[in-house]
Amino acid sequence: NRINYFFAVTILFLLFINIEIVHAQLSSSAWPMYKHDTRLSGQSQYNGANTNKFKWKFELPGEAVNASLAIGPDDSVYICNQGVLIALNKNGSLRWKNDLHPGGSGTSTPAISVDGTIYVPFYGTVYAVNSNGTLKWQYKSTSEVADSISVWNNNIFIGSGLDLLCISSSGNLLW
């Protein structure tokens, strides 16, 4: 177990070094994933609001929302709350919603790739959703998956239990 743990940590370290050098192939939008970028800097190159007035407000279904959002290349806003992936237009109106995990509770943060695919981890499943809201594919893990996801070199990386999974953009487990 110690050797497996050391191997996994070494792979993670090497993976993040490569991500830092090559830069992930995320959508070139204002906020394509959890904490903005692969370095998880939490900082955008854009200035924040100049006023304390809402531009718009959208009430999400369910109870309290603790999810982070992602912003697509067309300024659409994506958020997943209680198993429902919601896409909003930049004016705050509903674009579409997809009930990925009916009756689910909890939240997760989407990541958007350059081709516009929205990847959402939720419980033990990774969902790939087209930009029009239709399900592209889903990958069911044998254990829980982390609530944030990274996209790099047309592959999806996510933690699952003590494992790091690499899933191809077509939904096949690579390792």
Side-chain angles (χ1 to χ4, degrees):
N1 270 346
R2 236 173 205 224
I3 293 173
N4 287 344
Y5 179 76
F6 177 75
F7 182 72
V9 169
T10 304
I11 293 295
L12 277 172
F13 177 75
L14 293 173
L15 174 68
F16 285 114
I17 287 175
N18 285 336
I19 288 173
E20 188 64 28
I21 294 169
V22 177
H23 297 290
Q25 293 176 327
L26 292 167
S27 165
S28 60
S29 65
W31 205 269
M33 68 176 284
Y34 176 70
K35 292 198 174 181
H36 185 265
D37 52 41
T38 55
R39 294 178 321 193
L40 304 178
S41 70
Q43 296 191 6
S44 173
Q45 64 270 31
Y46 301 101
N47 291 330
N50 294 324
T51 177
N52 62 354
K53 299 195 185 312
F54 289 117
K55 248 185 160 171
W56 53 263
K57 180 179 172 181
F58 185 87
E59 190 169 325
L60 295 169
E63 298 181 20
V65 178
N66 295 317
S68 296
L69 56 85
I71 300 174
D74 61 352
D75 292 334
S76 293
V77 176
Y78 300 94
I79 190 165
C80 187
N81 189 48
Q82 298 188 344
V84 180
L85 177 62
I86 297 171
L88 304 174
N89 294 306
K90 63 181 176 181
N91 67 1
S93 63
L94 180 67
R95 183 171 172 195
W96 52 259
K97 67 180 181 175
N98 186 327
D99 195 354
L100 297 173
H101 193 90
S105 62
T107 60
S108 62
T109 304
I112 305 163
S113 69
V114 260
D115 69 357
T117 302
I118 303 122
Y119 296 104
V120 183
F122 200 76
Y123 285 102
T125 306
V126 175
Y127 298 93
V129 179
N130 294 305
S131 59
N132 66 2
T134 58
L135 184 66
K136 193 173 195 176
W137 53 259
Q138 64 186 37
Y139 174 81
K140 181 84 172 136
S141 176
T142 56
S143 60
E144 289 290 314
V145 293
D147 61 356
S148 63
I149 199 165
S150 289
V151 180
W152 177 70
N153 202 24
N154 293 322
N155 294 316
I156 299 92
F157 296 89
I158 191 159
S160 178
L162 295 175
D163 299 322
L164 173 65
L165 303 180
C166 178
I167 304 168
S168 72
S169 59
S170 57
N172 299 313
L173 181 66
L174 298 176
W175 46 265

